[in-house]
Amino acid sequence: MHRHLKLGIFGFGIVGQGLYRVLEETRGIKAEILKICVKDKNKKRSLPAKYFTFEKEDILENPDVDVVLELIDDPEAAFEIVKTAMQKGKAVVTANKKMVADHMIELYEMQNDYNVPLLYEGACCASIPIIRNLEEYYDNDLLSAVEGIFNGSTNYILTKVFSEQKSIPEALAEAQNLGYAETDPSLDIEGFDAKYKLCIILTHAFGLFVDPSDITNIGMHKISDFDIKIARERGFKIKLVAKSRKIDDKVAAFVIPQFVSENSELYKVEREFNAVIVEGAFSEHQFFIGKGAGGYPTGSAVLSDISALTYNYKYEYKKIQQANDLNISSNIELSIYLRFNNSTSIDKKLFNSILEEYKALENQYIIGKINFGKLIESRWADDPEINIILLENNETEN
Ligand code: HSE
């Protein structure tokens, strides 16, 4: 028997408005919005004033509200809302990836302590139903890798850079206008947003709780015209990828820009689309593609979570029980392209082997194999004059 749900919404930005429209147009879900809590009293709203409140208690203390939709920007304020809502016995749906990634353990425990569901499909790759699939479809598969393009804005930017010769700042401004980028777009271009999504996926794919600060994110903000020229000459595009791969009892996980050839499924993933590749012992290779940013794609994921709550669905986190002694490791050998200028000194001894070296007046690069742990230690990723790009299909255990 499907329940009729009464919703209280926090936030009415891109995702909140997208959700409102999809809720309005869908016929199947028995749910009504009681109140929407917003911050800005002066902003003109597209709905009648009776829907809105500026007091969080109007939702959190309202016994009629049984589902709280947390769709605000600020991750710490979002966590407080989610915590209070769960303590009050309300089910919660959120699309806040940073909040979920930063507080995964507490959120997991609160679901048990208060016996209420918390769903967050919209937090990972928007319209791609990856969390539910990891939970339900791959629950007993022995997964070896989950990776792909987890950020819509950077994929949009890189598409425009490669196919329309736009500059990164110009393409970023477009992504912002289209409502894909974070309020602070450095979260997108420096790879943080993709990392938060990867952390959430690590819990559902491998049963790992990880602190986002323990996962390395190398962004795409340092890609130069020279790097783009090198990619073009070799028939590559560059994509910002998030990777997690299990090797024995360890999982290597990171975010990094990667050269992608025409043979890769990721080559044709363009604009705000995301893609997730899942590799399992039984299901083998699977490829998901869908819009990863924007009001409707994210709203559709939130809608799907609301729908799941009508039949009392909750995540079971089955992989946590199966994880045993699995943990994160940086002991993996990667083939990378390292571009730097003539005033930068690079300790070549950090490479296990060098396959190619190039030196001209302004730019130099090395293509070589390096242990990921050494790459982290080198701190090259923090140097504004150095850019790192992963080569395709070149990861082996050290
Ligand atoms: N800024 C995010 C992105 C929004 O571009 O993917 C969706 O999470």
Side-chain angles (χ1 to χ4, degrees), residues 97 150-153 180-182 188 193 197 292-293:
K97 47 264 156 133
F150 293 1
N151 181 271
S153 303
Y180 303 150
E182 298 300 299
D188 295 297
D193 180 80
K197 294 163 182 166

Side-chain angles (χ1 to χ4, degrees), residues 11 21 34 37 44 92 99 138 141 171 246 248 256 279 318 329 331 340 383:
R21 290 295 303 277
L34 294 192
C37 182
K44 211 174 153 354
V92 178
M99 187 274 289
Y138 300 105
D141 204 331
K246 183 168 174 287
D248 300 328
I256 196 167
E279 282 171 21
K318 294 181 201 116
S329 156
N331 193 18
F340 46 101
D383 188 326

Side-chain angles (χ1 to χ4, degrees), residues 171-187:
L172 169 61
E174 278 181 26
Q176 288 177 297
N177 285 338
L178 290 162
Y180 303 150
E182 298 300 299
T183 309
D184 172 2
S186 65
L187 295 174

Side-chain angles (χ1 to χ4, degrees), residues 188-300:
D188 295 297
I189 62 175
E190 294 180 19
F192 288 95
D193 180 80
K195 172 168 80 171
Y196 300 138
K197 294 163 182 166
L198 178 64
C199 290
I200 298 171
I201 282 178
L202 285 168
T203 301
H204 292 276
F206 300 110
L208 287 170
F209 288 117
V210 285
D211 184 333
S213 62
D214 290 337
I215 302 288
T216 299
N217 52 298
I218 301 177
M220 47 67 73
H221 53 297
K222 292 190 280 175
I223 294 174
S224 68
D225 290 345
F226 179 81
D227 302 328
I228 294 164
K229 184 171 94 64
I230 295 292
R232 281 219 179 91
E233 280 171 6
R234 296 173 186 225
F236 298 151
K237 290 177 183 169
I238 304 172
K239 301 282 183 191
L240 184 70
V241 296
K243 290 188 167 256
S244 61
R245 182 163 290 276
K246 183 168 174 287
I247 302 159
D248 300 328
D249 58 351
K250 304 263 189 279
V251 177
F254 48 90
V255 174
I256 196 167
Q258 185 187 310
F259 289 120
V260 171
S261 74
E262 230 177 326
N263 302 328
S264 163
E265 289 147 315
L266 299 181
Y267 190 86
K268 291 206 175 91
V269 180
E270 297 282 54
R271 304 198 326 272
E272 74 274 29
F273 279 80
N274 282 186
V276 185
I277 296 165
V278 179
E279 282 171 21
F282 313 131
S283 54
E284 297 188 15
H285 187 94
Q286 314 253 299
F287 182 70
F288 298 79
I289 182 167
K291 285 195 174 178
Y296 293 155
T298 316
S300 80

